[in-house]
PDB file of all heavy atoms in Angstrom:
ATOM      1  N   ALA A 135      43.026-215.875-106.453  1.00 98.00           N
ATOM      2  CA  ALA A 135      42.275-215.354-105.265  1.00 98.00           C
ATOM      3  C   ALA A 135      41.026-216.228-105.078  1.00 98.00           C
ATOM      4  O   ALA A 135      40.446-216.742-106.052  1.00 98.00           O
ATOM      5  CB  ALA A 135      41.884-213.907-105.452  1.00 98.00           C
ATOM      6  N   ILE A 136      40.606-216.361-103.829  1.00 98.00           N
ATOM      7  CA  ILE A 136      39.360-217.021-103.470  1.00 98.00           C
ATOM      8  C   ILE A 136      38.478-216.027-102.765  1.00 98.00           C
ATOM      9  O   ILE A 136      38.913-215.380-101.816  1.00 98.00           O
ATOM     10  CB  ILE A 136      39.598-218.247-102.563  1.00 98.00           C
ATOM     11  CG1 ILE A 136      40.460-219.282-103.293  1.00 98.00           C
ATOM     12  CG2 ILE A 136      38.266-218.867-102.114  1.00 98.00           C
ATOM     13  CD1 ILE A 136      40.868-220.452-102.424  1.00 98.00           C
ATOM     14  N   ARG A 137      37.214-215.906-103.247  1.00 98.00           N
ATOM     15  CA  ARG A 137      36.243-215.041-102.616  1.00 98.00           C
ATOM     16  C   ARG A 137      35.158-215.888-101.963  1.00 98.00           C
ATOM     17  O   ARG A 137      34.672-216.838-102.560  1.00 98.00           O
ATOM     18  CB  ARG A 137      35.604-214.102-103.637  1.00 98.00           C
ATOM     19  CG  ARG A 137      36.524-212.992-104.096  1.00 98.00           C
ATOM     20  CD  ARG A 137      35.823-211.976-104.996  1.00 98.00           C
ATOM     21  NE  ARG A 137      35.141-212.566-106.113  1.00 98.00           N
ATOM     22  CZ  ARG A 137      35.724-212.954-107.266  1.00 98.00           C
ATOM     23  NH1 ARG A 137      37.013-212.833-107.391  1.00 98.00           N
ATOM     24  NH2 ARG A 137      35.008-213.466-108.236  1.00 98.00           N
ATOM     25  N   MET A 138      34.826-215.507-100.752  1.00 96.00           N
ATOM     26  CA  MET A 138      33.759-216.182 -99.996  1.00 96.00           C
ATOM     27  C   MET A 138      32.818-215.074 -99.583  1.00 96.00           C
ATOM     28  O   MET A 138      33.234-214.120 -98.921  1.00 96.00           O
ATOM     29  CB  MET A 138      34.363-216.924 -98.786  1.00 96.00           C
ATOM     30  CG  MET A 138      33.369-217.742 -98.001  1.00 96.00           C
ATOM     31  SD  MET A 138      34.172-218.816 -96.770  1.00 96.00           S
ATOM     32  CE  MET A 138      34.859-217.647 -95.602  1.00 96.00           C
ATOM     33  N   GLY A 139      31.546-215.161-100.001  1.00 93.00           N
ATOM     34  CA  GLY A 139      30.595-214.119 -99.678  1.00 93.00           C
ATOM     35  C   GLY A 139      30.996-212.792-100.286  1.00 93.00           C
ATOM     36  O   GLY A 139      30.727-211.744 -99.726  1.00 93.00           O
ATOM     37  N   GLY A 140      31.673-212.817-101.438  1.00 94.00           N
ATOM     38  CA  GLY A 140      32.089-211.619-102.125  1.00 94.00           C
ATOM     39  C   GLY A 140      33.389-210.978-101.610  1.00 94.00           C
ATOM     40  O   GLY A 140      33.887-210.014-102.203  1.00 94.00           O
ATOM     41  N   THR A 141      33.945-211.502-100.523  1.00 97.00           N
ATOM     42  CA  THR A 141      35.166-210.952 -99.939  1.00 97.00           C
ATOM     43  C   THR A 141      36.351-211.865-100.226  1.00 97.00           C
ATOM     44  O   THR A 141      36.266-213.079-100.064  1.00 97.00           O
ATOM     45  CB  THR A 141      35.008-210.839 -98.389  1.00 97.00           C
ATOM     46  OG1 THR A 141      33.894-209.995 -98.118  1.00 97.00           O
ATOM     47  CG2 THR A 141      36.250-210.294 -97.740  1.00 97.00           C
ATOM     48  N   VAL A 142      37.456-211.274-100.671  1.00 98.00           N
ATOM     49  CA  VAL A 142      38.671-212.076-100.909  1.00 98.00           C
ATOM     50  C   VAL A 142      39.199-212.562 -99.564  1.00 98.00           C
ATOM     51  O   VAL A 142      39.466-211.769 -98.665  1.00 98.00           O
ATOM     52  CB  VAL A 142      39.748-211.237-101.630  1.00 98.00           C
ATOM     53  CG1 VAL A 142      41.067-212.016-101.705  1.00 98.00           C
ATOM     54  CG2 VAL A 142      39.294-210.833-103.015  1.00 98.00           C
ATOM     55  N   VAL A 143      39.305-213.881 -99.450  1.00 98.00           N
ATOM     56  CA  VAL A 143      39.786-214.488 -98.193  1.00 98.00           C
ATOM     57  C   VAL A 143      41.087-215.222 -98.352  1.00 98.00           C
ATOM     58  O   VAL A 143      41.716-215.603 -97.362  1.00 98.00           O
ATOM     59  CB  VAL A 143      38.698-215.422 -97.565  1.00 98.00           C
ATOM     60  CG1 VAL A 143      37.472-214.630 -97.138  1.00 98.00           C
ATOM     61  CG2 VAL A 143      38.348-216.550 -98.540  1.00 98.00           C
ATOM     62  N   ALA A 144      41.529-215.460 -99.611  1.00 98.00           N
ATOM     63  CA  ALA A 144      42.803-216.159 -99.825  1.00 98.00           C
ATOM     64  C   ALA A 144      43.412-215.665-101.128  1.00 98.00           C
ATOM     65  O   ALA A 144      42.700-215.437-102.101  1.00 98.00           O
ATOM     66  CB  ALA A 144      42.566-217.657 -99.874  1.00 98.00           C
ATOM     67  N   THR A 145      44.745-215.561-101.137  1.00 98.00           N
ATOM     68  CA  THR A 145      45.481-215.183-102.334  1.00 98.00           C
ATOM     69  C   THR A 145      46.784-215.972-102.399  1.00 98.00           C
ATOM     70  O   THR A 145      47.324-216.400-101.357  1.00 98.00           O
ATOM     71  CB  THR A 145      45.820-213.675-102.342  1.00 98.00           C
ATOM     72  OG1 THR A 145      46.607-213.361-101.196  1.00 98.00           O
ATOM     73  CG2 THR A 145      44.574-212.791-102.362  1.00 98.00           C
ATOM     74  N   ALA A 146      47.261-216.126-103.617  1.00 98.00           N
ATOM     75  CA  ALA A 146      48.584-216.784-103.825  1.00 98.00           C
ATOM     76  C   ALA A 146      48.993-216.569-105.288  1.00 98.00           C
ATOM     77  O   ALA A 146      48.134-216.380-106.148  1.00 98.00           O
ATOM     78  CB  ALA A 146      48.506-218.264-103.525  1.00 98.00           C
ATOM     79  N   ASN A 147      50.263-216.629-105.516  1.00 97.00           N
ATOM     80  CA  ASN A 147      50.836-216.726-106.850  1.00 97.00           C
ATOM     81  C   ASN A 147      51.342-218.139-107.007  1.00 97.00           C
ATOM     82  O   ASN A 147      52.225-218.575-106.233  1.00 97.00           O
ATOM     83  CB  ASN A 147      51.973-215.712-107.073  1.00 97.00           C
ATOM     84  CG  ASN A 147      51.485-214.308-107.069  1.00 97.00           C
ATOM     85  OD1 ASN A 147      50.400-214.010-107.563  1.00 97.00           O
ATOM     86  ND2 ASN A 147      52.272-213.406-106.519  1.00 97.00           N
ATOM     87  N   LEU A 148      50.772-218.895-107.919  1.00 96.00           N
ATOM     88  CA  LEU A 148      51.137-220.278-108.129  1.00 96.00           C
ATOM     89  C   LEU A 148      51.974-220.485-109.352  1.00 96.00           C
ATOM     90  O   LEU A 148      51.690-219.872-110.402  1.00 96.00           O
ATOM     91  CB  LEU A 148      49.881-221.175-108.215  1.00 96.00           C
ATOM     92  CG  LEU A 148      49.286-221.713-106.932  1.00 96.00           C
ATOM     93  CD1 LEU A 148      48.932-220.627-105.975  1.00 96.00           C
ATOM     94  CD2 LEU A 148      48.148-222.613-107.204  1.00 96.00           C
TER      95      LEU A 148
END
Side-chain angles (χ1 to χ4, degrees):
I136 298 174
R137 287 187 307 280
M138 185 169 68
T141 301
V142 173
V143 294
T145 59
N147 291 323
L148 272 57

